[in-house]
Amino acid sequence: MAGFANDAKKMLELLGGKENIVSFTHCATRMRFVLKDQKQADVKAIEELSCVKGSFTQGGQFQIIIGNKVSTFYDDFVEASGIEGVSKAEVKTEAKGNLNLLQRLLANLAEIFAPIIPAIIVGGLILGFRNIIGDIALLENGTKTITAVYPFWNGVYNFLWLIGEAIFTFLPVIITYSVCKKMNSDPVLGIVLGITLVSPQLMSASDYVQAVATGGDIKTWDFGAFHINMVGYQSQVIPAILVGILFSVLYKFLKKHVPEMISMIVVPFFSLVPAVLLAHTVIGPFGRVIGDGLAKIIQVGFDSSFSWIVSGIYGLLYPLMVITGLHHAMLPIDLQAAETVGGIYTFPVVALNNIAQASAVVAFVIINRRNAKAKEVGVPAFISGYLGVTEPAMFGINLKYLYPFVGAMLATGVTGMISRLIGVIANSVGVGGLPAFLSMKAQYMLPYIGVMALCIVLSILFTLLLSKTPLNSENRKKN
């Protein structure tokens, strides 16, 4: 029998038996269950199994952290339960039955942006690297950049923008594709739809504003009785989401009502053309106003005379946003802000949260250094946390024991205030751990590295101190 056979049988019983399991699947490190009644699961007993490194509930799913051997455990659980696992998409769909309206909305938003995140991270790293070689005077006594001295690196600087432009300028194409795929319409037509928002035929928003201000020529489509301005939505997020939803609704409606024999001709034409027309007359301009408005609201808070307090509160509360799923709503606003106000105010704080959560686990491992299981669970958790993946740290340890979670919250709040006092702003969303400094604007990279170091120290210190208080459940047992 395989190594996890006994634990798989025990877990099946502790989950309430096969009758309580609606569906299950696994990801890179976790088993994901949709249960009929989550109260039947004996969480404490499950976490005491030798193979389990923690558990949490998120998005209507009960998730159990197994580690890198989760695929082996999954096979053993299939054998023990006699139930076939399903895809992650099917589990997510069934899990939504356990969510309220707001949670379902956030879950759908997360599913739209989840496939986009790797591209955004790559783009952020590219911008950061270009900042280092092209915008920071590192050579000849701080008077010249690397690109100014070495032609090779100047070529690298220019070449990398080919990728950066594809990710950020043409971001609406990626978004409309993802929206259409999520809504089960035609993702290829979604790509075409996105291209109509960023086509080289269109003026950029900045060129349009300049033309209006200076009385210059504005490109239009002339329909005789009326004109439509030929203005693009390069780097715009909210318009792309709204247009993608509109197209998908039209497509699915026509697909349902148009006879099969003419469906291939009628459905694409009469869903795409009206969607593009409305995109450039109603939906796009409305989405731009909404997106720019949300971005500027964030800017007002982070640019005010009390910006350091706003940043500190955001840092203190951000871990709670992650628990509730509200952080998913921030990504489209952050991406919109990068275009509207020229930078992202919230990402420096988000990255500090990831570093604080990982560092709190370091303190937890120090406190429990004589406990072999604490090391087994904690070391991989804080390593992945420093690299930007915080679920094992936050849900597997910090929330479970509470005092590391509070320590991380306090450290993020304090360093969030310091980060804003320094004026740190990010170019883009990037890797939310130690590599996050690469996403900051060039002049803030070195100061931000100092803030990151302080965040590590404070998180460890706060967690060590809080371990001596009633917040530590183990401490309460001793007393």
Side-chain angles (χ1 to χ4, degrees):
M1 297 182 73
F4 295 113
N6 290 331
D7 280 353
K9 289 179 182 178
K10 291 177 184 176
M11 186 180 291
L12 178 63
E13 296 174 7
L14 296 171
L15 287 169
K18 62 187 298 182
E19 298 79 11
N20 194 40
I21 298 175
V22 177
S23 61
F24 67 93
T25 187
H26 74 90
C27 58
T29 59
R30 288 162 281 157
M31 290 290 292
R32 299 182 173 207
F33 294 92
V34 177
L35 304 176
K36 292 178 182 177
D37 181 5
Q38 294 195 22
K39 293 179 181 178
Q40 290 189 33
D42 189 339
V43 177
K44 184 177 180 180
I46 288 172
E47 292 186 345
E48 289 176 354
L49 294 175
S50 60
C51 65
V52 174
K53 296 176 173 58
S55 69
F56 60 95
T57 299
Q58 189 178 51
Q61 301 174 43
F62 180 53
Q63 303 190 30
I64 302 173
I65 303 169
I66 302 296
N68 294 330
K69 296 183 179 180
V70 67
S71 59
T72 304
F73 183 92
Y74 172 85
D75 292 336
D76 287 344
F77 191 85
V78 168
E79 184 177 343
S81 65
I83 309 171
E84 286 297 326
V86 298
S87 69
K88 283 189 280 187
E90 289 174 294
V91 165
K92 287 178 180 178
T93 300
E94 291 170 344
K96 286 174 184 174
N98 297 327
L99 305 178
N100 59 38
L101 181 61
L102 176 60
Q103 289 172 325
R104 286 199 295 273
L105 178 64
L106 293 173
N108 286 326
L109 192 62
E111 288 174 26
I112 288 171
F113 279 92
I116 298 173
I117 290 174
I120 300 299
I121 289 175
V122 169
L125 292 175
I126 285 174
L127 290 182
F129 183 70
R130 291 177 85 246
N131 279 341
I132 292 173
I133 65 174
D135 298 324
I136 303 177
L138 297 173
L139 304 179
E140 299 187 13
N141 297 319
T143 61
K144 290 187 178 180
T145 64
I146 294 174
T147 55
V149 175
Y150 298 105
F152 171 80
W153 290 111
N154 186 57
V156 170
Y157 181 88
N158 292 320
F159 174 76
L160 287 177
W161 182 236
L162 176 67
I163 305 171
E165 182 186 43
I167 293 170
F168 293 113
T169 303
F170 298 99
L171 182 61
V173 180
I174 308 173
I175 291 174
T176 51
Y177 166 82
S178 189
V179 170
C180 292
K181 187 174 181 181
K182 171 68 185 71
M183 295 187 66
N184 296 317
S185 59
D186 190 322
V188 174
L189 288 177
I191 294 174
V192 175
L193 177 66
I195 292 172
T196 67
L197 300 177
V198 297
S199 169
Q201 298 179 39
L202 306 171
M203 299 177 69
S204 68
S206 58
D207 289 342
Y208 173 74
V209 171
Q210 184 176 1
V212 171
T214 60
D217 293 334
I218 297 174
K219 296 171 69 175
T220 63
W221 287 291
D222 185 353
F223 290 90
F226 61 94
H227 297 74
I228 299 175
N229 291 334
M230 297 175 63
V231 182
Y233 296 89
Q234 295 86 350
S235 304
Q236 293 282 319
V237 176
I238 307 297
I241 293 173
L242 296 178
V243 171
I245 292 172
L246 171 67
F247 166 79
S248 296
V249 169
L250 287 172
Y251 182 91
K252 293 172 75 172
F253 175 82
L254 292 171
K255 195 75 174 176
K256 183 177 180 180
H257 293 91
V258 171
E260 186 68 30
M261 65 180 66
I262 58 172
S263 176
M264 186 177 291
I265 298 172
V266 172
V267 173
F269 185 87
F270 285 100
S271 54
L272 185 62
V273 174
V276 174
L277 179 61
L278 289 170
H280 288 280
T281 54
V282 180
I283 303 297
F286 174 74
R288 194 196 299 273
V289 169
I290 296 296
D292 289 353
L294 291 171
K296 286 177 180 176
I297 288 171
I298 297 292
Q299 182 190 18
V300 167
F302 279 84
D303 268 350
S304 69
S305 56
F306 301 103
S307 62
W308 60 280
I309 296 177
V310 174
S311 183
I313 293 172
Y314 188 81
L316 187 69
L317 298 182
Y318 186 78
L320 302 179
M321 293 172 63
V322 174
I323 295 171
T324 58
L326 287 172
H327 66 300
H328 292 307
M330 289 305 302
L331 181 56
I333 298 173
D334 287 343
L335 295 175
Q336 186 78 28
E339 169 64 15
T340 303
V341 301
I344 299 176
Y345 293 84
T346 56
F347 181 68
V349 183
V350 171
L352 290 172
N353 168 70
N354 288 14
I355 292 167
Q357 295 291 336
S359 300
V361 177
V362 172
F364 174 82
V365 172
I366 293 171
I367 293 164
N368 297 279
R369 55 190 174 277
R370 294 183 180 86
N371 187 321
K373 184 164 184 179
K375 292 180 182 178
E376 181 186 352
V377 175
V379 173
F382 74 68
I383 290 174
S384 65
Y386 282 137
L387 296 176
V389 181
T390 56
E391 286 90 348
M394 181 180 286
F395 294 105
I397 294 174
N398 295 348
L399 269 173
K400 178 179 177 181
Y401 294 96
L402 190 57
Y403 71 92
F405 186 75
V406 176
M409 286 179 65
L410 293 174
T412 307
V414 173
T415 52
M417 288 192 290
I418 295 171
S419 173
R420 187 85 289 271
L421 284 169
I422 295 171
V424 177
I425 302 174
N427 281 312
S428 171
V429 174
V431 179
L434 293 179
F437 76 94
L438 291 170
S439 297
M440 305 306 141
K441 288 185 176 294
Q443 64 270 36
Y444 300 121
M445 282 187 178
L446 287 177
Y448 189 73
I449 290 173
V451 177
M452 290 165 63
L454 179 62
C455 185
I456 293 172
V457 173
L458 288 180
S459 186
I460 292 174
L461 178 62
F462 287 150
T463 304
L464 290 173
L465 292 174
L466 289 170
S467 71
K468 308 297 183 182
T469 72
L471 274 176
N472 186 348
S473 59
E474 295 300 317
N475 200 44
R476 287 200 302 270
K477 287 177 185 177
K478 292 175 184 177
N479 296 332

